[in-house]
Amino acid sequence: MGAEIENENNKEMPVAGENIKVMAQALFEARRDLKQIAPLRKTMDLSSVEAAQAVQEMTTQLWLSEGRRLVGRKIGLTAKAVQQQMGVNEPDYGVLWADYAFTEGETVDIKRFMQPRAEAEIAFVMENDITDPLAGMQDVIRAIAYCVPAVEIVDSAIADWDIQLVDTIADNASGGGFALGTGPRRITDIDMRLCGMVMSRNSHPVSIGAGAACLGHPLNAVLWLARKMAELGRPIGAGDIILSGALGPVVPVDPGDVFSVEIQGFQPLNIGFSA
């Protein structure tokens, strides 16, 4: 997947290249050094979605040149209420990195993040590529190998979460890390629209939702992403991990927190954070 991104690097940027490079370098260094920066919309006049996408792309290239391995994609802004708040009518996307992938029962070093929050989601693992920008739902269904519960650890390089749409798109859609559960399920085994979700923090329920909160159905989010990535010339491929988007409200993470995610039809997922 990383090679596919690099092959697309010859495409002309939709905005002034030098400014894109400066913003991408600023975000790269912020993430590398774990030091938050002021919103790019304020300090560098970042104002368009196209420019923000170009910044994300160039930041991704910088990380790939450092040897990081891309393992999938995340979908953001899948809740209609959040889209209305941001003034958009479609989701956004970011990349998932192998070195920020965690597993069931693991204790995550919270010092690897700046201001983490947790979202309960469904993760899909792809069996086949989807290269057609006009792909249909049946193409998506055939391409998915299995699904598991997931926690996305969202994080922002923008100080104090002072973000608007362009800031979050540029900053990898505020993607930090992710944890996958065990007990894979076929998508035909789960009612992903009606499945209930409860996420607890330190044994207290803090986020409640359902599959329908994610664009009406989590597979709608995967279809949107598949089309978008194919349209951009960077299609999702076999083996990729796709995070669907949140099934309920996002929750702040504090040192020592332990989260449990229960999604109907799946085994529970537990993930902790260091004190």
Side-chain angles (χ1 to χ4, degrees), residues 33-34 41 52 72 74 92 127 168 174 181 192 202 226 243 269:
D33 302 334
L34 297 176
R41 71 182 189 277
K74 58 152 287 182
D92 65 356
E127 186 170 23
T168 186
S174 301
M192 279 183 284
N202 305 326
L243 294 188
L269 163 60

Side-chain angles (χ1 to χ4, degrees), residues 156-188:
S156 180
I158 306 303
D160 302 318
W161 279 99
D162 180 11
I163 60 171
Q164 292 185 8
L165 180 64
V166 292
D167 300 299
T168 186
I169 290 176
D171 186 28
N172 194 34
S174 301
F178 65 100
L180 299 184
T182 56
R185 299 285 188 265
R186 294 186 180 276
I187 59 175
T188 53

Side-chain angles (χ1 to χ4, degrees), residues 71 103 121-128 139-150 178-190 192 218-219 222 236-244 265-266:
V71 294
T103 57
E121 310 193 3
I122 296 175
F124 300 90
V125 178
M126 307 303 294
E127 186 170 23
N128 300 306
D139 299 308
V140 168
I141 292 171
R142 284 193 294 266
I144 294 171
Y146 59 87
C147 54
V148 292
F178 65 100
L180 299 184
T182 56
R185 299 285 188 265
R186 294 186 180 276
I187 59 175
T188 53
D189 295 339
I190 305 292
M192 279 183 284
L219 288 181
V222 180
I236 59 178
D240 282 351
I241 300 164
I242 306 299
L243 294 188
S244 65
F266 291 100

Side-chain angles (χ1 to χ4, degrees), residues 9 18 34 44 54 76 88 90-92 94 121 143 150 180 188 193 206 253 259 271:
N9 202 31
E18 286 305 315
L34 297 176
M44 299 188 189
V88 296
E90 68 173 15
D92 65 356
E121 310 193 3
L180 299 184
T188 53
R193 173 176 167 77
V206 288
V253 176
F259 286 85
I271 192 81

